[in-house]
Amino acid sequence: MLVDDERAGLTAYRDRDNQQVFFHTEIDDVPAGQGLAAILVEQALTDVRTSGKRIVPVCPYVAKFLTRHREFADITDPVTPEVLTWLEARLGR
């Protein structure tokens, strides 16, 4: 995410078949209270919908966002031990 042409944050994911597994979201040192994390995640999840993929919310922020934004429930898959093992292997942990 860019604000005034400067990086303000990111949400990280890995593609797994027809899923995007979101594992990290961060907002850089910008004034709090602007709702940047919510804007960032909403745009990312909207992009997932447009791509025809599904969401797996490993990232705690994305998971919390999804509890308040049920409009993405139809494209959200649960976080399973299999997904976590797969993700750890991809991230080299």
Side-chain angles (χ1 to χ4, degrees), residues 24-72:
H24 181 71
T25 300
E26 68 182 57
I27 296 298
D28 296 340
D29 293 329
V30 295
Q34 297 182 46
L36 294 180
I39 292 167
L40 172 64
V41 169
E42 182 172 23
Q43 289 177 351
L45 301 183
T46 298
D47 287 346
V48 174
R49 182 181 297 284
T50 301
S51 74
K53 293 189 176 191
R54 299 186 60 77
I55 301 160
V56 181
V58 174
C59 168
Y61 185 85
V62 173
K64 183 177 177 182
F65 180 91
L66 288 168
T67 65
R68 295 185 313 256
H69 295 271
R70 301 299 302 158
E71 65 269 25
F72 295 103

